[in-house]
Amino acid sequence: MLEVALHHRFSGIDLDLEFDAGAGITALFGRSGAGKTTVISAVAGLLRPNEGRVVLDGKVLFDAKRGVWVPPHRRRLGYVFQDARLFPHLDVRKNLNFGARYAPRCSMGAGFDDVVGLLGLEALLARAPATLSGGEKQRVALGRALLSHPRMLLMDEPLASLDGPRKQEILPYLERLRDGDLRLPILYVSHAVDEVARLADRLVLLQDGQLKAQGALFDVMADPAAVPLLGVREAGAVLEADVIAHADDGLSTLAISAGQLELPGVQASVGARVRLRVLAQDVILSRDRPVGLSSVNVLPVRVEAVHPGDGPGAAIALRAGSDRLLARVTARAVQDLGLRDGVDCFAIIKATTVAPGSIGR
Amino acid sequence: MALDAAAWDALLLSLRVASVAMFLSLPLALWIAWILARKEFRGKGLLSALVHLPLVLPPVVTGYLLLLAFGRNAPLGRLLESLGIGLAFHWTGAVLAAIIMGFPLMVRAMRLAIEAVDPKIEAAAATLGAPRVSVFARVTLPLILPGILAGAVMGFAKAMGEFGATITFVANIPGQTQTLPSAIWTALQVPGGENRALAMAALAGVVALVAVLVSEALARRVAKRISGAR
């Protein structure tokens, strides 16, 4: 368990926040300039904040008041940088071994062959870093960090410098890391909602150096108050579904607590549990059960909260069985439909709103 | 052939002066290059200017300043003399002149190599658990080593060719302080000495060419090494 409290004043913004990160992946989300990298650098010990405290598993790494400062090389935090930072004079194998060299002798952690297998690095071992693609570099950097047997992994936008296909190449490895045997806690900095929605267990929202929200991913993503922080086009609930069947026409049937959804582009096999991201702007509300629609994904829902936005829009928190959904409608529609807490209505989800990339596990 | 014993003596003296000067100035040049590349402090500009001064000062002025500071009648010179380190009119003085004249070139080559190393790479090494000394030994040093060697070769070549400051400071005593350039100059002063001068000039040219070729090869290696394409 990582506990972080930081108060740091520097040119541009004042950082002032407290959060913690436990098992699984904790995403630190914010727009560019929100102070994410500063936070992760302070945790790693590459930056010394004016005030604050960083504690990992009960061991104080930094405490300004008590004058405690553990230097970065004794923190045992694996840092995966946005720009990989491989050693240019060493080949891939030696880069990986550099990580292993300083791992404490008795420490438990992944072995060389395990990491090479997990990240698919066999064919790269003799290559020089300059000859690797961006995605390959990030995989090596991740492997190098894992081999140093860290107590926690810090990842600073590891996918930000990669294009779409390269991102898709890395994401499965990160999911394997999350769901595999290593069970390494990860602090994952990102400004991409789709990555966060796909990977994170916990979400910490940052804006202008201030903590805005923190909690379980499903809770924060379904919180109407978080809509402006995530962006009105990006906000939307994340829910888990079971794949029930694949039809010949390309649609798959998925079960959620409130019913079934027919979605295209589902690659997971029958029986698998996947994550769905339902964008708030792609949920349409109706007081009566709609008939004659082109969409077949209609779920009975109950309004839990109405959250007016700054503009003409409003965010509606919905309960669908044991899941939650988020819808974005106009303030006028709220008026006309009489939407308020406790009202039962129907949510229409366009089948095309679930991107294949946001389904995984 | 016009290469007599005196010419070979002059070459050997030059090689000795240049080698000793190179090895003596290497650690200091590396330290100064490190400071100039990595540290921010008041007076950094002044330090840089001082290091580079011998490059722009007329060599005869540098030699004269050395004579004023380390001559037999100067306090510093007398002190060193009493310690057994005679500099004036001694080959060790030629070493000092060579150190001062070659220093800017050495510092420059090393500074460029150090500046080409991204401190972020060193930070990454630290997060992997490497203590500061290990980071230097395993990451920084291998990356700048070709730059250090290139700087050393430049310093060596400069020392081989140094004439103005040397002859002003330690004069031109055959077998004592007569380096190869001094010997060439002396030969040119004697009627009919052109052949000797030409032969020694050719010798100096060969040594300089080899030094520059080695330096170029090392510079190419540092560029490749840092870009990572080996």
Side-chain angles (χ1 to χ4, degrees):
Chain A
M1 168 96 146
L2 176 77
E3 300 152 69
V4 180
L6 295 176
H7 311 281
H8 188 65
R9 182 182 293 266
F10 60 110
S11 61
I13 52 168
D14 286 351
L15 209 59
D16 185 13
L17 57 101
E18 272 180 49
F19 70 92
D20 44 54
I25 299 184
T26 302
L28 192 58
F29 176 90
R31 302 270 163 229
S32 318
K36 307 183 294 291
T37 299
T38 311
V39 171
I40 206 168
S41 298
V43 172
L46 299 178
L47 177 143
R48 191 168 183 161
N50 306 135
E51 279 175 61
R53 218 173 112 82
V54 176
V55 181
L56 178 64
D57 299 330
K59 185 179 175 348
V60 178
L61 299 179
F62 166 59
D63 190 332
K65 276 205 190 75
R66 287 167 46 199
V68 179
W69 174 257
V70 177
H73 69 272
R74 284 206 247 112
R75 294 199 176 194
R76 295 193 52 215
L77 292 164
Y79 198 146
V80 180
F81 299 87
Q82 188 175 339
D83 49 351
R85 301 195 191 177
L86 300 180
F87 304 122
H89 59 301
L90 303 178
D91 63 20
V92 169
R93 179 187 292 278
K94 287 181 180 146
N95 264 281
L96 292 171
N97 280 332
F98 194 101
R101 172 180 290 272
Y102 298 101
R105 253 169 255 284
C106 53
S107 63
M108 301 285 288
F112 188 86
D113 295 335
D114 299 337
V115 167
V116 166
L118 177 79
L119 297 171
L121 301 174
E122 295 90 346
L124 306 179
L125 289 175
R127 301 257 300 271
T131 66
L132 302 178
S133 73
E136 289 167 339
K137 278 183 192 160
Q138 281 302 12
R139 266 152 59 199
V140 176
L142 181 55
R144 188 178 64 172
L146 287 175
L147 284 169
S148 72
H149 292 177
R151 288 184 289 205
M152 184 170 195
L153 210 51
L154 310 175
M155 306 185 85
D156 187 3
E157 310 220 23
L159 305 181
S161 59
L162 308 179
D163 56 20
R166 294 285 91 72
K167 260 183 215 182
Q168 296 308 322
E169 172 195 325
I170 299 278
L171 275 165
Y173 293 113
L174 297 180
E175 285 168 334
R176 265 197 237 174
L177 209 59
R178 177 190 63 191
D179 306 327
D181 301 330
L182 286 173
R183 293 277 156 212
L184 197 59
I186 300 175
L187 183 60
Y188 188 96
V189 162
S190 179
H191 72 282
V193 184
D194 58 337
E195 272 170 52
V196 169
R198 181 164 167 177
L199 293 171
D201 301 302
R202 246 179 95 71
L203 183 54
V204 177
L205 290 183
L206 214 58
Q207 190 181 43
D208 299 328
Q210 314 287 314
L211 180 85
K212 290 294 177 185
Q214 65 171 322
L217 175 87
F218 300 114
D219 295 339
V220 179
M221 291 299 286
D223 181 359
V227 170
L229 298 164
L230 294 162
V232 288
R233 277 178 191 78
E234 299 274 15
V238 176
L239 38 104
E240 286 189 314
D242 294 309
V243 181
I244 290 184
H246 295 296
D248 293 336
D249 59 0
L251 289 182
S252 305
T253 307
L254 288 86
I256 56 173
S257 60
Q260 292 190 346
L261 298 174
E262 304 289 329
L263 302 174
V266 177
Q267 274 133 29
S269 49
V270 171
R273 198 162 175 78
V274 296
R275 269 189 190 186
L276 302 182
R277 183 172 163 221
V278 183
L279 294 181
Q281 63 176 4
D282 291 328
V283 176
I284 298 165
L285 293 180
S286 168
R287 284 301 293 268
D288 307 311
R289 177 175 277 282
V291 287
L293 280 180
S294 63
S295 173
V296 289
N297 296 318
V298 178
L299 297 171
V301 294
R302 173 167 290 172
V303 175
E304 284 202 320
V306 177
H307 195 86
D310 293 333
I316 316 288
L318 304 164
R319 166 71 54 181
S322 62
D323 293 310
R324 273 160 303 172
L325 284 174
L326 202 56
R328 216 182 109 73
V329 298
T330 60
R332 189 178 295 172
V334 172
Q335 202 76 44
D336 293 350
L337 296 178
L339 297 177
R340 57 181 189 277
D341 296 8
V343 166
D344 288 316
C345 56
F346 294 89
I348 301 142
I349 300 162
K350 288 191 284 180
T352 49
T353 54
V354 182
S358 58
I359 301 175
R361 181 164 271 204
Chain B
M1 193 57 190
L3 284 172
D4 51 22
W8 288 112
D9 277 354
L11 176 67
L12 286 178
L13 180 67
S14 273
L15 287 172
R16 178 160 52 146
V17 166
S19 314
V20 173
M22 184 185 82
F23 282 112
L24 284 183
S25 49
L26 206 58
L28 185 66
L30 184 58
W31 185 59
I32 298 283
W34 184 269
I35 286 178
L36 290 176
R38 287 288 173 86
K39 305 283 181 207
E40 287 304 325
F41 55 94
R42 278 171 69 104
K44 182 174 169 176
L46 188 67
L47 178 65
S48 179
L50 273 176
V51 166
H52 287 97
L53 202 58
L55 214 54
V56 287
L57 216 55
V60 65
V61 173
T62 306
Y64 182 49
L65 289 175
L66 284 173
L67 202 55
L68 288 180
F70 297 100
R72 289 220 164 109
N73 297 319
L76 210 53
R78 239 178 295 168
L79 180 72
L80 287 170
E81 190 98 48
S82 69
L83 293 171
I85 312 166
L87 289 175
F89 308 112
H90 200 259
W91 76 276
T92 47
V95 170
L96 181 62
I99 286 175
I100 300 237
M101 297 302 287
F103 204 66
L105 298 171
M106 292 182 89
V107 169
R108 195 165 195 83
M110 294 176 192
R111 180 181 177 174
L112 288 175
I114 294 166
E115 280 173 348
V117 176
D118 190 348
K120 290 174 171 179
I121 300 278
E122 296 163 324
T127 63
L128 291 167
R132 210 176 255 259
V133 178
S134 304
V135 173
F136 183 79
R138 294 190 177 279
V139 178
T140 317
L141 194 59
L143 288 173
I144 65 172
L145 196 57
I148 293 174
L149 295 176
V153 173
M154 290 299 286
F156 179 83
K158 177 69 193 170
M160 283 297 294
E162 168 46 32
F163 174 66
T166 309
I167 204 164
T168 311
F169 182 34
V170 294
N172 184 11
I173 309 160
Q176 292 256 354
T177 62
Q178 191 176 73
T179 57
L180 196 56
S182 306
I184 295 170
W185 181 78
T186 307
L188 283 172
Q189 304 305 303
V190 185
E194 284 88 351
N195 272 349
R196 279 193 74 229
L198 201 61
M200 286 190 283
L203 204 56
V206 169
V207 173
L209 189 66
V210 169
V212 170
L213 284 176
V214 170
S215 168
E216 285 283 311
L218 291 172
R220 262 199 307 278
R221 243 186 92 196
V222 76
K224 264 192 197 166
R225 196 156 199 173
I226 290 190
S227 73
R230 288 178 302 164

